[in-house]
């Protein structure tokens, strides 16, 4: 019998397993990353891209490429994640054609598309990166109700011997089916993201220096620092991906407890006096109380981060070992120290302070970048966990890419 040359040809059953795996994911970014990874693994594709629809544009949401980004493998990240690129949805591009016609497209050789086709292959990417795109399979991400949320594209399938081959019609069928399940998960995660952003906006409306971008940045810094830290600790890639899903959302919620702080304190355009600052410290406990469900993984991590993001490695932070946070009378207590502070919160502590210092706030000017970095180095082992500081500097180019992606026009 003829053996199939492809290393990973699978069937419908495997698609169901993968679908189950993604169906519980909450964070939209972690989900997209996962969808692309699974689609590529399933088809043995060397590269792939996810585009999301925004109005009449397709936005480059995720790109993975084993050949080009191999160097980044040991660090477990790639900065291209944070590239801002978009294209118009029309029939001239391959992804645009698929989005517009809502049907899949299998191309055997990107360089031999007949000139009669409405779409053509954009050579820019190959030119800029020295990559050679050959076989492209592109499917629409449309939900079972027919909403198109984006486009999924896989590129250059490999044989077991790592030779580039072609996608088959079976791949097309299965990835199209996977696309529907993926689109449903994407739609659900977008809804979760919307709900969370509403919750954050409620806190923001009250806090003049709070912006959506600050929250987005702290969420992104946190998961990237975590990824680096966890890789170093030998935590399984599978677990890292799962944890990042929850971690980003929870980190974005770190300050929601500020909804319970009075305007006079929150909006004071000057330094807080001691009494005001003591009240402000309760935003940690107030935040933690908003997530009481121990059966919800998101509640557990969000509560933990709200409570502990102002603890310090040296034990001089707050609110300290307060015990049961639901007790009526609560006072600040002796600080938690070192590993007593959950890793999630040790990371958010650094991400939050970095962003607070490098940005302008109602009560302070933005610091020079070099001054911020000196401060962080100086506070390694004091305010911050040294290993978290190390992870932060190891991925500093990613941190900067995140800052560029989420900039406030009205900030700085
Ligand atoms: P935030 O503004 O987001 O600041 C988060 C954390 O960044 C601060 O936690 C602190 O650790 C660090 N940070 C911010 N600015 C500076 C700075 O100029 N120097 C240094 N060394 N660190 C800085 P912290 O201090 O516990 O404050 C928690 C929150 O309380 C702040 O969040 C802010 O909302 C509020 N806050 C703190 N101080 C003041 C103040 O003087 N005036 C006003 N209006 N709000 C303040
Ligand atoms: C503050 O008291 O406002 C700043 C505290 C710190 O610098 O850690
Ligand atoms: C924020 O992080 O959302 C602003 C206040 C803080 O950083 O603690
Ligand atoms: Fe805070
Ligand atoms: Fe913050």
């Amino acid at each position: 019998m003829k053996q199939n040359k492809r290393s990973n040809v699978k069937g419908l059953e495997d698609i169901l397993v993968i679908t189950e795996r993604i169906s519980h994911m909450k964070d939209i970014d972690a989900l997209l990353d996962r969808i692309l990874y699974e689609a590529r693994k399933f088809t043995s594709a060397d590269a792939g891209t996810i585009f999301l629809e925004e109005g009449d544009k397709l936005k480059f949401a995720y790109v993975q490429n084993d050949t080009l980004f191999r160097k980044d493998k040991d660090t477990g990240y790639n900065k291209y994640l944070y590239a801002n690129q978009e294209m118009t949805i029309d029939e001239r591009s391959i992804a645009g054609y698929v989005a517009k016609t809502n049907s899949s497209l299998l191309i055997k050789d990107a360089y031999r598309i007949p000139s009669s086709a409405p779409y053509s292959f954009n050579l820019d990417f190959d030119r800029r990166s020295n990559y050679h795109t050959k076989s492209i399979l592109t499917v629409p991400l449309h939900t079972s109700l027919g909403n198109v949320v984006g486009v999924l594209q896989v590129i250059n399938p490999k044989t077991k011997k790592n030779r580039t081959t072609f996608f088959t019609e079976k791949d097309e069928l299965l990835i199209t089916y996977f696309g529907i399940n993926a689109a449903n998960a994407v739609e659900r995660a977008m809804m979760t993201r919307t709900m969370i952003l509403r919750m954050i906006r409620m806190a923001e409306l009250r806090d003049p220096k709070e912006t959506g971008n600050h929250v987005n940045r702290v969420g992104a810094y946190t998961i990237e620092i975590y990824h680096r830290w966890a890789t170093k600790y030998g935590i399984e890639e599978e677990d890292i991906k799962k944890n990042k899903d929850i971690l980003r959302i929870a980190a974005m919620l770190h300050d929601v407890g500020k909804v319970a702080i009075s305007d006079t304190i929150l909006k004071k355009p000057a330094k807080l006096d001691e009494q005001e600052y003591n009240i402000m410290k309760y935003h940690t406990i107030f935040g933690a109380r908003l997530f009481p469900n121990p059966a919800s993984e998101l509640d557990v991590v969000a509560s933990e981060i709200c409570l502990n993001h102002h603890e310090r490695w040296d034990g001089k932070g707050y609110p300290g070992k307060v015990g049961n946070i639901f007790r009526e009378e609560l006072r600040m207590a002796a600080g938690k120290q070192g590993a007593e502070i959950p890793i999630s919160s040790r990371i958010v502590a650094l991400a939050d302070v970095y962003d607070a210092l490098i940005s302008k706030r109602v009560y302070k000017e933005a610091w020079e970048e070099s001054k911020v970095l000196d401060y962080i180095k100086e506070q390694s082992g004091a305010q911050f966990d040294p290993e978290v500081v190390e992870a932060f500097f190891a991925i500093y180019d990613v941190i900067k890419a995140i800052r560029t992606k989420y900039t406030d026009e009205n900030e700085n």
Side-chain angles (χ1 to χ4, degrees):
M1 211 174 92
K2 198 172 157 229
Q3 281 287 102
N4 200 311
K5 290 196 292 292
R6 293 271 291 288
S7 47
N8 269 319
V9 174
K10 297 170 175 175
L12 197 54
E13 232 168 277
D14 302 276
I15 289 284
L16 293 176
V17 171
I18 299 169
T19 298
E20 166 64 18
R21 216 177 279 160
I22 63 165
S23 66
H24 301 295
M25 298 188 68
K26 293 191 176 60
D27 179 66
I28 182 71
D29 289 279
L31 175 67
L32 293 172
D33 191 35
R34 190 56 189 250
I35 288 170
L36 187 52
Y37 174 80
E38 297 290 358
R40 284 180 48 230
K41 203 167 106 188
F42 189 80
T43 54
S44 310
D46 186 49
T49 309
I50 287 190
F51 303 86
L52 282 188
E53 196 164 315
E54 261 177 43
D56 60 348
K57 298 257 192 268
L58 276 179
K59 272 187 100 164
F60 215 58
Y62 272 85
V63 51
Q64 295 174 355
N65 188 313
D66 280 349
T67 299
L68 290 181
F69 305 152
R70 187 162 290 149
K71 273 198 229 82
D72 293 329
K73 263 204 168 149
D74 44 318
T75 50
Y77 66 83
N78 81 68
K79 57 177 177 278
Y80 301 92
L81 257 173
Y82 295 101
N84 271 317
Q85 284 192 49
E86 53 183 41
M87 60 173 90
T88 306
I89 301 180
D90 62 32
E91 276 140 6
R92 285 172 301 173
S93 69
I94 293 167
Y97 179 83
V98 166
K100 186 106 193 224
T101 59
N102 199 2
S103 54
S104 61
L105 184 62
L106 195 157
I107 293 169
K108 283 217 156 160
D109 188 341
Y111 288 82
R112 292 179 183 211
I113 294 174
S115 53
S116 58
Y119 49 83
S120 63
F121 174 62
N122 180 350
L123 298 161
D124 278 0
F125 181 78
D126 275 12
R127 280 208 192 108
R128 269 188 286 129
S129 58
N130 264 329
Y131 190 71
H132 188 83
T133 302
K134 199 168 167 78
S135 187
I136 310 177
L137 171 57
T138 312
V139 303
L141 291 173
H142 63 95
T143 65
S144 24
L145 292 177
N147 303 328
V148 176
V149 297
V151 166
L152 170 64
Q153 187 165 73
V154 282
I155 294 168
N156 289 2
K158 298 282 189 180
T159 63
K160 265 186 188 147
K161 290 186 175 146
N162 207 32
R163 305 255 306 262
T164 300
T165 176
F166 307 107
F167 291 109
T168 63
E169 265 146 36
K170 187 178 170 203
D171 290 330
E172 185 176 11
L173 203 70
L174 291 171
I175 291 297
T176 299
Y177 177 68
F178 174 61
I180 296 172
N181 294 320
N184 288 335
V186 167
E187 196 173 53
R188 198 158 17 73
M190 280 174 161
M191 207 134 44
T192 304
R193 172 70 62 94
T194 303
M195 297 304 290
I196 300 282
L197 287 177
R198 273 186 201 149
M199 198 164 169
I200 289 165
R201 191 153 295 268
M202 246 167 28
E204 258 173 45
L205 282 176
R206 307 261 345 283
D207 187 348
K209 68 166 182 46
E210 221 25 87
T211 68
N213 275 330
H214 168 64
V215 163
N216 280 322
R217 287 191 301 260
V218 171
Y221 298 151
T222 298
I223 58 161
E224 296 303 339
I225 296 169
Y226 171 74
H227 198 147
R228 171 71 191 201
W229 178 92
T231 303
K232 209 178 152 193
Y233 265 77
I235 296 174
E236 294 280 337
E237 193 68 22
E238 185 69 20
D239 292 328
I240 295 178
K241 281 190 201 294
K242 238 180 81 191
N243 294 336
K244 280 170 79 178
D245 175 43
I246 300 282
L247 192 54
R248 181 200 298 263
I249 297 177
M252 290 171 79
L253 290 164
H254 71 276
D255 268 337
V256 288
K258 284 181 179 174
V259 290
I261 304 295
S262 77
D263 274 0
T264 40
I265 295 177
L266 207 55
K267 297 192 174 167
K268 182 174 176 176
K271 191 131 187 69
L272 301 180
D273 65 29
E274 202 192 329
Q275 196 199 354
E276 292 165 333
Y277 188 54
N278 283 333
I279 293 169
M280 176 56 97
K281 288 178 177 172
Y282 281 87
H283 79 278
T284 51
I285 295 168
F286 295 150
R289 284 175 173 166
L290 295 173
F291 306 98
N293 182 2
S296 152
E297 214 182 329
L298 178 60
D299 270 34
V300 169
V301 183
S303 177
E304 161 184 303
I305 288 176
C306 285
L307 188 66
N308 297 301
H309 73 278
H310 288 294
E311 297 290 353
R312 295 171 48 116
W313 183 253
D314 61 13
K316 294 179 185 160
Y318 65 89
K321 300 170 197 170
V322 292
N324 179 1
I325 57 167
F326 295 101
R327 263 184 15 247
E328 229 170 275
E329 287 272 313
L330 265 191
R331 299 178 153 276
M332 298 291 132
K336 293 175 185 164
Q337 195 172 350
E340 286 175 351
I341 309 161
I343 182 62
S344 60
S345 314
R346 272 136 62 194
I347 294 172
V348 173
L350 176 57
D352 184 31
V353 172
Y354 168 73
D355 203 63
L357 294 181
I358 211 152
S359 316
K360 188 172 167 348
R361 292 274 152 105
V362 280
Y363 63 94
K364 63 169 270 297
E365 283 305 315
W367 290 16
E368 290 282 340
E369 182 172 23
S370 63
K371 198 179 152 197
V372 176
L373 299 184
D374 286 346
Y375 177 84
I376 290 171
K377 279 176 202 152
E378 190 187 293
Q379 291 297 328
S380 174
Q383 189 171 0
F384 307 121
D385 175 352
E387 286 182 357
V388 171
V389 172
E390 194 187 301
F392 171 85
F393 282 110
I395 60 154
Y396 196 63
D397 56 340
V398 179
I399 301 283
K400 286 215 291 212
I402 293 168
R403 250 172 72 206
T404 309
K405 172 159 178 164
Y406 303 110
T407 27
D408 301 327
E409 275 97 51
N410 53 359
E411 209 180 57
N412 295 323

